[in-house]
């Protein structure tokens, strides 16, 4: 019988401190501590984020180990996010992971955060099915928007990406325009449920190939709201649900149009989603409708594995462990780190 492999994953690239223990690709624990300090600032404040990571990293790792039911000494490796992300935030997880791997004398494994989002589709949990290679992934998060062709666990090609704002930023910046706290994405999703998606029409950007652009849409929404508020100061309050539904409808339509184009032109019908925005109920509904209408095989990670989490980092750690792709103790955090 093969021996069991236990990996600790650590994630600290943005505003979530997270730790997870997985056994042979199955999640034993996944603790996520989301920083609340940023809410009132309308976005993540890097300096505050690093301090909050420093405060929570030890309790979060401690909880993840306790919940997993294993002893620290049973760990086979420590995997951590080395980038891309906020430098100060990444440094906290990187330094912690290095020290722990040294003190336990076990391998250290650096993980690309975006690869983590994509390979979250391989986490074995409940009825989740893993995609077959090659597959396309729509990666939509607060910092990235890409269509990626995944040839194997470690071979990925970016077919297209945003030339300005990410899809998550489009949600969050629109949320800010209509007075929602950060992050606006989940709130827009919530209010949109009771709104009419066709109430207001916003202009969809035109960009070549599989690339995206969201900054024009943001300006379009800003000017529209400013004009309406001039005429009626209560416009946003009176139309909150319709505004959210219309904003969400437009962003989701832009994403789905490009994904459909990529599937059609590559002929690859095995399709996955990844990243925080794939938690959005409208894009999930449209994605599974496309699966039926166009004969796709669709995959989306469970909610807790779509937004930032350490389980996805531990998963990549497990896959890298199996091929002995270990990092040297001199490895550094990287604010920019392409797939
Ligand atoms: O992947 P993620 O947790 O962090 C990054 O790596 O960026 O993604 C965070 C983004 C935020 O912009 C947040 O507003 C968005 O995901 N998000 C959502 C929803 N849940 C999270 N956007 C729309 N609808 C949601 N339900
Ligand atoms: Zn992320």
């Amino acid at each position: 019988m093969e021996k069991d492999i236990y990996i600790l994953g650590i994630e600290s690239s943005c505003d979530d401190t997270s730790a997870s223990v997985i056994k042979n690709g199955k999640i034993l624990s996944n603790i996520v501590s989301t920083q609340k300090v940023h809410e009132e600032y309308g976005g993540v404040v890097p300096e505050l984020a690093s301090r909050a990571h420093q405060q929570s990293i030890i309790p979060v790792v401690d909880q993840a180990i306790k919940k997993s039911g294993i002893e620290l000494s049973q760990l086979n490796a420590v995997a951590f996010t080395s980038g891309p992300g906020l430098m100060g935030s990444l440094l906290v997880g990187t330094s912690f992971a290095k020290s722990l791997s040294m003190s336990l004398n076990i391998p250290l494994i650096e993980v690309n955060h975006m690869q983590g989002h994509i390979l979250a589709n391989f986490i074995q949990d409940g009825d989740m099915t893993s995609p077959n290679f090659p597959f396309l992934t729509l990666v939509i998060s607060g910092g990235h928007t890409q269509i990626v062709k995944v040839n194997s666990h470690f071979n990925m090609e970016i077919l297209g990406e945003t030339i300005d704002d990410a899809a998550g930023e489009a949600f969050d910046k629109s949320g800010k325009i209509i007075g929602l706290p950060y992050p606006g994405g989940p709130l827009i999703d919530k209010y949109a449920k009771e709104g009419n998606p066709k109430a207001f029409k916003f202009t969809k950007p035109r960009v070549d190939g599989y690339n995206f652009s969201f900054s024009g849409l943001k300006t379009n929404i800003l000017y529209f709201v400013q004009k309406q508020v001039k005429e009626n100061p209560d416009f946003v309050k009176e139309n909150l649900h319709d505004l959210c539904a219309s904003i969400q409808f437009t962003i989701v339509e832009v994403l789905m149009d490009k994904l459909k184009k990529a599937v059609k032109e590559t002929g690859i019908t095995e399709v996955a989603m990844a990243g925080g925005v794939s938690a959005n109920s409208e894009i999930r509904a449209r994605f599974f409708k496309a699966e039926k209408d166009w004969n796709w095989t669709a995959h989306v990670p469970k909610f807790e594995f779509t937004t930032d989490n350490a389980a996805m980092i531990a998963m990549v750690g497990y896959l890298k462990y199996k091929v002995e792709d270990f990092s040297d103790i001199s490895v550094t955090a990287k604010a920019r780190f392409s797939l």
Side-chain angles (χ1 to χ4, degrees), residues 9-246:
I10 291 173
E11 157 64 33
S12 75
S13 66
C14 190
D15 58 342
D16 296 292
T17 317
S18 179
S20 164
V21 176
I22 67 171
K23 175 186 179 181
N24 306 331
K26 267 201 144 69
I27 309 299
L28 299 183
S29 63
N30 181 36
I31 308 292
V32 184
S33 161
T34 301
Q35 304 174 357
K36 297 279 174 221
V37 306
H38 310 288
E39 273 172 16
E40 59 184 294
Y41 296 97
V44 177
V45 185
E47 185 67 28
L48 297 179
S50 345
R51 285 188 225 172
H53 282 303
Q54 190 107 62
Q55 264 180 349
S56 14
I57 189 118
I58 291 178
V60 164
V61 170
D62 195 44
Q63 268 187 59
I65 296 287
K66 283 206 177 98
K67 193 164 173 220
S68 74
I70 69 158
E71 300 289 327
L72 263 182
S73 59
Q74 285 177 269
L75 287 176
N76 295 88
V78 183
F80 71 101
T81 303
S82 61
L86 301 170
M87 193 40 123
S89 293
L90 290 166
L91 282 174
V92 178
T94 304
S95 307
F96 183 86
K98 282 188 182 197
S99 317
L100 189 65
S101 99
M102 263 189 99
S103 66
L104 296 173
N105 198 20
I106 53 174
L108 177 69
I109 301 172
E110 74 165 319
V111 174
N112 178 305
H113 180 82
M114 302 313 294
Q115 193 180 17
H117 273 304
I118 294 171
L119 298 184
N121 279 287
F122 289 88
I123 293 175
Q124 295 165 26
D125 193 284
D127 56 2
M128 279 177 65
T129 54
S130 299
N132 294 306
F133 300 114
F135 63 92
L136 296 180
T137 311
L138 177 67
V139 190
I140 37 181
S141 73
H144 293 81
T145 298
Q146 299 172 328
I147 294 180
V148 179
K149 181 174 169 229
V150 185
N151 299 313
S152 73
H153 289 131
F154 307 117
N155 180 328
M156 304 185 180
E157 287 168 59
I158 299 171
L159 302 185
E161 59 192 328
T162 181
I163 55 168
D164 42 55
D165 289 351
E169 272 178 294
F171 270 104
D172 299 338
K173 288 180 178 174
S174 305
K176 195 172 177 183
I177 293 169
I178 57 172
L180 301 178
Y182 177 85
L187 290 169
I188 291 183
D189 191 357
K190 184 175 146 197
Y191 297 131
K193 290 198 167 73
E194 288 159 48
N196 171 9
K198 301 270 171 71
F200 307 109
K201 199 165 162 47
F202 301 113
T203 344
K204 286 201 281 174
R206 285 181 197 281
V207 197
D208 287 346
Y210 305 125
N211 287 338
F212 300 89
S213 164
F214 287 103
S215 72
L217 175 64
K218 173 193 64 194
T219 314
N220 183 215
I221 295 169
L222 176 68
Y223 290 167
F224 172 78
V225 171
Q226 282 177 340
K227 186 165 167 264
Q228 298 297 322
V229 168
K230 241 187 213 159
E231 287 161 24
N232 170 14
D234 289 333
F235 173 77
V236 171
K237 211 168 90 196
E238 288 168 9
N239 295 279
L240 185 64
H241 295 99
D242 284 349
L243 272 169
C244 288
S246 303

